[in-house]
């Protein structure tokens, strides 16, 4: 049995963030909506019993269960051997925390919930892409990319020269955005973001995690 189980579909950007921490730390893990012979379908009573907000991921570590992506990532980083993904310097750590929070809330809402999912959900549950909603979401994508473009340098990572938990949260959502054809006119206006995603995808961990997704209900 793996040391930890990450509950959730492997295409979820937040599930992928938890997977990235495991890959970076060398933690043996499993992923999916089944654990110890029990199914946890999304929003089912079983799922709500381990996260009353009905979100993923949920981390199983022995008898422990933990939800909220940033908390999971911090726990995995602090609780297991391997390279630290959080700076020792208090100010640098605070900056990483700042970006983790902003990415998990504001950036995820702008890029994933309001924009990318308008293209993805029809693949999962059927239906058609609402181009009205896509156009409504585009200004938020443009603004978010401008904020990231201002933060990034021509090299390094989101906070300084080291790969941190901020990059763990950013990588899956930006990888999806940069790889989506309809988003290219927006992404082309953010060359530093494009170069950043390319640097992220040079890492062994991201090559294993940021693979072509298989969407299913």
């Amino acid at each position: 049995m793996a040391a930890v189980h990450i509950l959730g579909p492997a295409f979820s950007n937040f599930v992928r963030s938890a997977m990235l921490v495991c890959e970076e730390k060398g933690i043996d893990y499993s992923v999916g909506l089944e654990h110890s012979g029990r199914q946890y379908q999304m929003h089912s009573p079983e799922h709500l019993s381990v996260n009353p907000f009905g979100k993923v991921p949920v981390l199983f570590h022995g008898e422990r269960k933990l939800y909220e992506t940033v908390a999971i990532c911090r726990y995995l980083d602090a609780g297991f051997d391997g390279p630290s993904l959080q700076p020792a310097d208090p100010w640098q750590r605070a900056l990483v925390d700042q970006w983790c929070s902003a990415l998990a809330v504001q950036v995820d809402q702008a890029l994933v919930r309001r924009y990318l999912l308008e293209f993805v959900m029809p693949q999962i549950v059927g239906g058609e892409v609402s181009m009205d909603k896509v156009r409504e979401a585009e200004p938020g994508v443009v603004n978010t990319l401008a904020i990231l473009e201002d933060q990034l340098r021509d090299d390094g990572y989101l906070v300084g020269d080291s790969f941190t938990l901020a990059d763990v949260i950013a990588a899956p959502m930006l990888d999806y955005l940069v790889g989506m054809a309809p988003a290219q006119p927006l992404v082309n206006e953010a060359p530093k973001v494009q170069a950043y995603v390319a640097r992220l995808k040079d890492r062994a961990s991201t090559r294993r995690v940021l693979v072509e997704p298989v969407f299913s209900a």
Side-chain angles (χ1 to χ4, degrees):
M1 180 180 293
V4 300
H5 180 76
I6 302 165
L7 185 73
F11 63 77
S12 160
N13 59 295
F14 285 143
V15 169
R16 288 185 168 202
S17 292
M19 293 168 66
L20 279 173
V21 178
C22 290
E23 292 284 353
E24 289 282 337
K25 303 283 289 186
I27 303 168
D28 184 32
Y29 70 98
S30 56
V31 62
L33 290 170
E34 180 180 351
H35 176 60
S36 297
R38 188 176 182 184
Q39 289 286 339
Y40 294 85
Q41 294 304 316
M42 293 293 294
H43 307 122
S44 66
E46 290 77 16
H47 180 200
L48 295 174
S49 73
V50 293
N51 184 346
F53 298 101
K55 304 292 185 180
V56 292
V58 177
L59 182 74
F60 290 84
H61 180 206
E63 297 300 314
R64 295 175 175 174
K65 303 176 187 66
L66 185 67
Y67 56 83
E68 290 299 319
T69 305
V70 175
I72 289 170
C73 290
R74 287 177 180 146
Y75 174 72
L76 290 170
D77 184 47
F80 290 83
D81 293 335
S84 177
L85 301 177
Q86 301 176 84
D89 176 74
W91 176 246
Q92 291 297 310
R93 183 174 289 229
L95 290 176
V96 170
D97 287 346
Q98 167 192 273
W99 276 101
C100 285
S101 297
L103 288 158
V105 182
Q106 288 96 331
V107 176
D108 176 71
Q109 283 293 319
L111 301 188
V112 180
R113 308 303 136 188
R114 296 175 187 149
Y115 184 75
L116 291 173
L117 285 183
E118 288 301 328
F119 297 98
V120 172
M121 288 308 294
Q123 300 179 55
I124 299 176
V125 300
E128 297 181 357
V129 175
S130 170
M131 294 310 299
D132 287 342
K133 290 184 178 180
V134 168
R135 285 188 288 269
E136 184 180 324
E138 283 179 347
V141 175
V142 171
N143 181 62
T144 300
L145 287 174
I147 292 169
L148 293 169
E149 193 78 358
D150 186 60
Q151 171 67 15
L152 290 164
R153 306 193 315 255
D154 292 327
D155 58 5
Y157 293 98
L158 195 59
V159 182
D161 296 324
S162 299
F163 184 87
T164 68
L165 292 185
D167 304 296
V168 161
I169 305 297
M173 63 178 79
L174 291 178
D175 175 57
Y176 277 144
L177 182 72
V178 168
M180 181 167 284
Q184 290 315 297
L186 309 181
V187 171
N188 287 341
E189 299 300 315
K192 289 181 183 177
V193 172
Q194 293 180 80
Y196 169 62
V197 172
R199 288 196 297 278
L200 290 173
K201 296 190 77 169
D202 275 343
R203 301 183 71 83
S205 62
T206 56
R207 288 196 296 271
R208 289 189 288 267
V209 173
L210 303 185
V211 298
E212 189 70 23
V214 176
F215 297 115
S216 59

